[in-house]
Amino acid sequence: MAVFCKTMVDGLLLTLSVTLLWWGADGHGNGLGMREVPGRATVNLGQDRDIWRPLIHKTVNLSEISSIKSSFQFRTYDPEGVIFYGDTKNGEDWFVLSLRDGIPLMQINKEDMLVSVVGGPKLNDGKWHTLEVSNYGKFVILEVDGSGGLVVGMQSKQSQEVISGKLRLALGGILTNKEMIIQFGPQMDGCVREGNWLNLSKPWESEVDDLWPCYENIQPGSYFPGTGFAIFNTSVFPVEDDNEVKIELWGDFSQMDGTILSIELPGRERIFALVANNNTKEVTVFGDENIPLNSTFNRLVLTFGAAFLRILHEENESKTTELSVHPLSHPVQLTTWKDGHLAIGGLLGEGGDNIASNFLTGCLKKIQVQGKDLDLDLAVKKMSVSSHSCPA
Ligand SMILES: *[C@@H]1O[C@H](CO)[C@@H](O)[C@H](O)[C@H]1NC(C)=O
Ligand SMILES: *[C@@H]1O[C@H](CO)[C@@H](O)[C@H](O)[C@H]1NC(C)=O
Ligand SMILES: *[C@@H]1O[C@H](CO)[C@@H](O)[C@H](O)[C@H]1NC(C)=O
Ligand SMILES: *[C@@H]1O[C@H](CO)[C@@H](O)[C@H](O)[C@H]1NC(C)=O
Ligand SMILES: *[C@@H]1O[C@H](CO)[C@@H](O)[C@H](O)[C@H]1NC(C)=O
Ligand SMILES: *[C@@H]1O[C@H](CO)[C@@H](O)[C@H](O)[C@H]1NC(C)=O
């Protein structure tokens, strides 16, 4: 009986927490499959969706607008992506604020003009910044942390003020075509909070069921919550003349659980995988044979040659261990490298029956392939991964 009652209580708690999730922290549903998110809510723009699609949006009548100013706080380690979009005339006139190389980029399309302006401080330092976008007559002004940022002046010969119709606002994506002057990747791993959007009290509409959290403190890295992974075509990592493939991973491996990395090459029966076990505190290299390592290291370098796999793991600068050249009985066909796939945070393909294949839970502080930083936003497929930040 006691057990039965506890189950009922658990069931009730579960129902309550699911309900809370469904409605969002302090949002309301509107009964149309859209969910409302308060204008000042803290919103993580990194959530999975079609890459150009906004996370949240709202439409208002231009006649309702009494303020020409939007202000909000923004935090990211991501150098590139969309922050904020607005349009009128059903997308004919539009405004996009994004980051490129960490620096604000505004692009504006108004009547017959397409304008871009780049400048201001690098914002991708993981700190909260206050941004303010306002529109005074012919000028659009972006201020960062209260000091004069960017000013764009535009005057059209066919100018006529639009005072009726709709205005659409969106965060984390755009609603018009992608004919920009400066191209950029739209995905943004960043958070927005304390927004005041044209002084409108109307909430945002969201089509996603639950919003990802914004952690109070973050650090650079890629965070895997245990529910997804990122897949790359290995063709994007060319093999150089030395005929080697080098993959370097940084992080606290003793705090990881699940598949860190896997590689699938055509014609090769066994896949390669690297799996952390949080219970045994071991990281196992699954390849030709299985090699368990104590997970006390912070950096791991895997070098694949035509007939060897070299594993170097480093606890700190004075304690580096290299597992001497490990001969492979079934050499990696680097000629097939260009037709394979590499996954971070999960297991690929067949042949992994003997590998416990749960998704990775943990933070990789840095990932390099062939000596270059890996940007998970460039994956051919990415699911439930924060590409540029980990909770701290
Ligand atoms: C917006 O304008 C339309 C007509 O253009 C009107 O039907 C609607 O009630 C207006 N909405 C608000 C909130 O004023
Ligand atoms: C903003 O809206 C509030 C009420 O919602 C109003 O009191 C205030 O005057 C408005 N501010 C501006 C600048 O329009
Ligand atoms: C990735 O590889 C698949 C085949 O495995 C191919 O269909 C796809 O076009 C490739 N994508 C990119 C972006 O190279
Ligand atoms: C690892 O195990 C510890 C102790 O059981 C637990 O607190 C922690 O959440 C686990 N971490 C992961 C990533 O599974
Ligand atoms: C892991 O460390 C323990 C001692 O802490 C040692 O006995 C064991 O041999 C180590 N295992 C490996 C695979 O290095
Ligand atoms: C490096 O790690 C070893 C083994 O854990 C430890 O004895 C040594 O003090 C560490 N050195 C530094 C500089 O932290």
Side-chain angles (χ1 to χ4, degrees), residues 231-382:
I231 304 175
F232 289 83
N233 283 357
T234 41
S235 56
V236 300
F237 313 116
V239 178
E240 308 288 330
D241 295 341
D242 59 7
N243 234 3
E244 288 181 5
V245 174
K246 186 167 146 195
I247 300 172
E248 278 178 277
L249 304 161
W250 284 259
D252 183 349
F253 286 78
S254 67
Q255 299 298 312
M256 295 181 199
D257 192 55
T259 305
I260 300 169
L261 171 88
S262 66
I263 297 170
E264 171 189 60
L265 297 180
R268 203 172 143 76
E269 277 167 37
R270 290 207 64 179
I271 54 165
F272 172 85
L274 184 70
V275 179
N277 185 324
N278 185 38
N279 293 324
T280 60
K281 295 289 172 197
E282 276 181 352
V283 171
T284 307
V285 179
F286 290 92
D288 233 30
E289 57 184 273
N290 303 343
I291 309 163
L293 309 168
N294 277 336
S295 64
T296 46
F297 49 91
N298 299 304
R299 174 172 168 249
L300 182 72
V301 186
L302 300 164
T303 310
F304 298 88
F308 67 85
L309 166 61
R310 199 160 52 225
I311 304 166
L312 178 148
H313 51 107
E314 184 179 87
E315 223 166 287
N316 57 41
E317 267 156 30
S318 57
K319 187 153 187 270
T320 298
T321 313
E322 180 161 324
L323 288 186
S324 55
V325 176
H326 177 69
L328 296 177
S329 48
H330 303 288
V332 175
Q333 294 300 314
L334 287 176
T335 49
T336 65
W337 174 258
K338 63 176 173 24
D339 301 316
H341 297 99
L342 179 150
I344 307 285
L347 196 61
L348 281 169
E350 308 288 314
D353 308 346
N354 59 336
I355 304 174
S357 64
N358 51 331
F359 290 126
L360 176 64
T361 303
C363 172
L364 285 166
K365 289 187 178 151
K366 192 156 105 156
I367 307 164
Q368 285 194 342
V369 181
Q370 297 296 56
K372 293 204 178 89
D373 287 349
L374 188 64
D375 182 346
L376 297 184
D377 284 343
L378 303 178
V380 290
K381 186 174 171 207
K382 179 168 66 97

